[in-house]
Amino acid sequence: MRHIVIGLVIGLVVGVVLGVTVLTPQIKSHTASKAVLKDRELTGDNKEAPVVLSALQDGDAIHWRSAPPFPSDRPNVNAQAQRFSKQLALLSGDKMILPILPAKDVIGADRLFNAIASGRIDALFSTADIAADKEPALSLFSALPFGPDAVDMMAWLQVGNGTLKLKNIFSKHNVTALVCGYLPPEASGWFVSELQNAEQINELRIRATGLGAKVWAKAGATVSAMTPEEVPNAFDQGQLDGAIFSTPSQDVKSGYSRYAKNYYFPGWQNQGQPLLLLINTRVWKRLDQERQSLLKTSCDQRSAIELAKAPQEQFKGLSDLIKQDVILRRMPSYILDPLKQAWEQVLAEEVRKDQSVLEVWESLNAFLKNRKTWQEMSRLKDDPSDF
């Protein structure tokens, strides 16, 4: 009997320890993790149990700590992150939960990046420029002025060495980066008046960010980095002549059309950019190979889907903008040419300041040059005599 009592006591102690160290953390997993599951729409196509990787059936569920995506003022970033989170939970049989928290306030890049680098959060959806102040070369993976189109950029990332360059940069900060989505090209921006000559550039007061802001400033414009929420009041007070925000699908919701009716294309300052899933490297290394493979393939699938969906979504955005009496205009060459010259000067300065910028730029250019040779040989021309 004495041995039985001792065994029961030991069993009770072990049970308490397990409850505190193993079960309780799972029970107290992030409330946003539960929300991801509750929000899933169980349509007729997915009522049956999903087909998942076999090893995940027996493994413990992973509930990652997350944060609102960066930039937190871009609803399209949050929407893609939400779609990926639901897809990941479904494919893993709820064994991998990545909560996507709504952004109540704009959260600074430095604050978010420090959180992922230090491990205070496990994963974060972001654009590459989240750490551009620490690693200037990351700007070339984000909104790249006069950069390649979406297909060429994604090709460099997927089959060139773009992803390797990207991972090497982030790895210095204890962060693992996966390309996990795609943000389509932006517009050139909203303007109060029609752009009629190159001399207007020197008179423009424009809201812009990133490398595009440096280009506008180099060309002679007065540039402001005010938040998107501050733009309408600045327009209303006559303090702005133009503003760049996002894509048609997002710009249509901005309210800028009340103040600026001229909406210009193409978005030379951003021809599309990858969306990234940033993971704390210590957390990444704790994943088994099967879970790592699941994340990679899920991200590849998400990137392909978002790339395919983008044109139709932006066309709808344009249609809705027209209903707001917005005038769609093409940026004239007498504006684009000075901007292109300004970009070449900005690029030369960036390359001189940072070796990584030079290496990334050379890698991208070499890839595009080889790719262009094949494209010119393989594509049909409008006129057969062009061959």
Side-chain angles (χ1 to χ4, degrees), residues 187-351:
S188 288
W190 300 86
F191 291 85
V192 174
S193 303
E194 183 179 356
L195 301 176
Q196 297 181 331
N197 55 67
E199 287 69 30
Q200 277 183 271
I201 295 178
N202 294 316
E203 303 170 359
L204 286 177
R205 298 162 299 170
I206 186 168
R207 185 265 176 186
T209 59
L211 290 174
K214 293 184 178 182
V215 173
W216 272 114
K218 179 69 70 175
T222 301
V223 179
S224 168
M226 66 181 66
T227 67
E229 292 76 19
E230 293 172 324
V231 169
N233 185 61
F235 271 135
D236 190 45
Q237 298 297 319
Q239 299 169 352
L240 270 186
D241 302 300
I244 302 169
F245 177 42
S246 186
T247 63
S249 65
Q250 301 306 310
D251 278 344
V252 72
K253 308 168 189 175
S254 68
Y256 295 179
S257 62
R258 294 175 54 192
Y259 310 97
K261 292 295 185 181
N262 299 279
Y263 193 58
Y264 277 88
F265 287 94
W268 58 268
Q269 78 289 342
N270 185 351
Q271 283 288 283
Q273 61 180 310
L275 187 59
L276 306 179
L277 175 58
L278 303 181
I279 306 167
N280 178 271
T281 297
R282 289 188 295 271
V283 173
W284 172 256
K285 289 181 177 179
R286 285 200 295 266
L287 295 177
D288 57 74
Q289 186 173 357
E290 203 159 12
R291 280 184 170 89
Q292 289 183 357
S293 296
L294 176 62
L295 277 170
K296 290 177 181 177
T297 54
S298 296
C299 280
D300 287 344
Q301 182 187 46
R302 191 78 254 155
S303 298
I305 292 173
E306 298 297 346
L307 183 62
K309 287 172 57 177
Q312 190 62 27
E313 289 183 347
Q314 302 319 308
F315 178 79
K316 184 181 185 306
L318 288 176
S319 301
D320 293 339
L321 282 167
I322 292 174
K323 295 176 185 177
Q324 296 179 6
D325 297 324
V326 171
I327 303 172
L328 306 182
R329 299 187 185 276
R330 190 160 189 86
M331 189 70 80
S333 59
Y334 50 76
I335 300 293
L336 278 178
D337 289 346
L339 290 173
K340 182 66 180 296
Q341 294 172 11
W343 162 237
E344 291 171 355
Q345 296 175 43
V346 169
L347 178 60
E349 293 172 358
E350 297 296 313
V351 165

Side-chain angles (χ1 to χ4, degrees), residues 139-196:
S139 295
L140 302 184
F141 294 92
S142 186
L144 180 60
F146 299 96
D149 62 26
V151 175
D152 285 346
M153 174 59 84
M154 296 299 280
W156 174 58
L157 289 166
Q158 298 290 1
V159 299
N161 65 355
T163 295
L164 178 60
K165 295 285 186 185
L166 185 69
K167 288 183 175 179
N168 287 343
I169 294 172
F170 275 112
S171 67
K172 293 186 288 185
H173 301 274
N174 195 38
V175 174
T176 296
L178 300 178
V179 176
C180 204
Y182 161 75
L183 299 173
E186 295 180 346
S188 288
W190 300 86
F191 291 85
V192 174
S193 303
E194 183 179 356
L195 301 176
Q196 297 181 331

Side-chain angles (χ1 to χ4, degrees), residues 55-81:
L56 295 180
Q57 299 286 2
D58 301 322
D60 294 331
I62 295 176
H63 290 243
W64 273 351
R65 296 165 295 173
S66 185
F70 172 84
S72 51
D73 58 2
R74 298 290 179 91
N76 53 344
V77 176
N78 191 288
Q80 286 196 34

